[in-house]
């Protein structure tokens, strides 16, 4: 019998159910925060590498682990497609590499004094039987001043007869920045130091000062922006047209900060949108495009009505290009499982199992690139055939495993996020098996962006929008030079000397980096 004022059994049961639900939510919240804390510590103190080594984890230990992510289950064997198991990777050869053969050699000879050429045993004169040669790398950096002397001519006869005397001065080649003290070589030197070596302009100004050449930081900024706006942007525009005509483009974006931008705070986040040709393209191109935001209008404006293959991550702005065939990045899915594995207290479990699928897919991909096509078969068709035979069964098994584990993991946990992302992007992630031209991931462009990100840690921000746009142009040319395998300093010296001599509507095809590489090889 219930006393007056006391809760009924139904009310107590409802209260218990509410407390249990609240406890469950708090437990899930604690798990999520613990994972975030672990990853934050790893991001700050641990190596950033995502490399993963197969290991047989202790199943009993995993079973005892109090992990609210749950769903450890049993270890799933990968389907046998006849693909050879991974062998032991070859170790890198140790030791110092020899100095390049193309460097000039200068002999510095050391001989014994005359009184030391007598034999210490019999005191007879010794003869020279050979020489011992060791090589050292010797570098000298020297600045000099070019005096451009233009001879002037006048007519003595006109001068004697009182007629207006014509004075003619010998012309000199057009300079990259008229009125500036910088030659094409000096501009190239400054640009390479900032955009290849990541040296901020203020430190470059200090280096000039130590060399006894007073060049202000402001002057260096004018050199960068002037070189970009007057000359290098012509190369950039030509590369942009070539890129949009290619059958496959990689796309990604990264952040950049601009201090002085109209109607925006100095702390606002802007973006460098990155675009790249395929790895096996005959015309390697990497372009950065500065924009104040991350909206879909920016890739749409840059790529226009592009109808080829577009490789990108899961960001929806890229998918708004309706005419393109979209491919997802497998590395982004794998990266989420790497984070889930790092967040676990004892390792193993579902993240370890998932990574075994991904590792097998990448082993297959590496082998597919080395496969020799059959007679009459293209390389792309050969890669597609290899993927259909080996990759598709692995992907099918991964899909079954993901569907099975999805209801068993916490949605807000790292493993839950990894499973959800992979299933949501499945159509795009697996599309690469349908076409041998398609890459498995976007790592090619991400490696290029890493160079920009490394430099950004040094110079931190761009002062103005003009500076950010100039940086996008110069970085694009430097990254394209890297993709083409050409020396950026030599390239910039050439184009900054050549472009001022050519009209704005002149053909500059021979100055594109991939054509410069061919001319240099010839």
């Amino acid at each position: 019998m219930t006393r007056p004022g006391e809760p009924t059994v139904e009310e107590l049961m409802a209260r218990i159910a509410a407390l249990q639900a609240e406890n469950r939510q708090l437990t899930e919240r604690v798990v999520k925060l613990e994972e975030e804390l672990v990853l934050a510590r790893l991001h700050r103190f641990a190596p950033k590498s995502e490399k993963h080594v197969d290991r047989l984890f202790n199943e009993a230990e995993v079973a005892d682990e109090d992990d609210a992510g749950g769903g450890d289950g049993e270890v799933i064997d990968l389907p046998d497609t006849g693909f050879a198991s991974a062998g032991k990777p070859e170790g890198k050869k140790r030791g110092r590499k020899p100095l390049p053969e193309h460097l000039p050699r200068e002999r510095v000879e050391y001989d014994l004094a005359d009184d030391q050429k007598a034999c210490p045993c019999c005191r007879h004169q010794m003869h020279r039987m050979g020489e011992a040669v060791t090589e050292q790398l010797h570098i000298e950096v020297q600045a000099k001043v070019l005096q451009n002397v233009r001879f002037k001519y006048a007519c003595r006869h006109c001068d004697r007869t009182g007629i207006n005397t014509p004075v003619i001065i010998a012309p000199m080649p057009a300079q990259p920045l008229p009125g500036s003290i910088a030659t094409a070589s000096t501009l190239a030197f400054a640009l390479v130091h900032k955009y290849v070596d990541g040296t901020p302009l203020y430190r470059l100004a200090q280096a000039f000062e130590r060399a006894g050449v007073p060049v202000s930081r402001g002057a260096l900024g004018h050199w960068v922006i002037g070189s970009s706006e007057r000359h290098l942007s012509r190369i950039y525009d030509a590369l942009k047209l070539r890129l949009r005509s290619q059958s496959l483009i990689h796309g990604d974006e990264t952040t950049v900060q601009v201090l002085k931008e109209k109607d925006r705070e100095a702390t606002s986040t802007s973006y460098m949108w990155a675009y790249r040709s395929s790895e096996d393209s005959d015309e390697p191109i990497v372009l950065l495009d500065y924009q104040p935001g991350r909206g879909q209008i920016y890739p749409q404006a840059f790529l226009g009505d592009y109808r080829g293959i577009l490789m990108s991550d899961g960001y929806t702005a890229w998918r708004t290009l309706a005419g393109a065939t979209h491919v997802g990045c497998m590395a982004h899915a794998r990266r989420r499982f790497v984070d889930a594995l790092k967040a676990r207290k004892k390792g193993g479990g579902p993240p370890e199992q998932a990574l075994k699928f991904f590792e097998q897919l990448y082993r297959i991909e590496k082998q597919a690139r080395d496969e020799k096509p059959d007679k009459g078969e293209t390389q792309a068709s050969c890669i597609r055939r290899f993927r259909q035979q080996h990759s598709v069964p692995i992907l099918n098994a991964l899909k079954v495993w993901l569907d099975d584990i999805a209801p068993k993991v916490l949605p807000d946990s790292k493993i839950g996020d990894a499973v959800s992302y992979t299933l949501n992007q499945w159509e795009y992630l697996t599309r690469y098996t349908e076409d041998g031209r398609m890459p498995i991931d976007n790592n090619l462009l991400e490696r290029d962006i890493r160079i920009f990100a490394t430099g950004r840690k040094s110079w931190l921000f761009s002062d103005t929008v003009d500076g950010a746009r100039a940086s996008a142009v110069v970085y694009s040319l430097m990254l394209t030079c890297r993709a083409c395998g050409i020396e950026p300093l030599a390239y910039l010296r050439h184009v900054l000397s050549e472009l001022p001599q050519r009209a704005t509507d002149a053909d500059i095809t021979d100055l594109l980096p991939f054509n410069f590489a061919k001319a240099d090889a010839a």
Side-chain angles (χ1 to χ4, degrees), residues 11-24:
E11 290 174 338
L12 291 173
M13 295 298 292
R15 188 177 301 175
I16 291 173
L19 290 173
Q20 288 176 337
E22 182 181 0
N23 183 61
R24 202 160 40 242

Side-chain angles (χ1 to χ4, degrees), residues 92 117 139 142 151 154 184 257 300 305 312 370 465 496 513 517:
K92 293 184 178 180
K117 294 180 181 180
I139 298 176
Q142 183 179 5
F151 292 113
Q257 185 180 358
Q300 290 173 355
D305 58 349
S312 65
D370 297 332
V465 173
L496 288 173

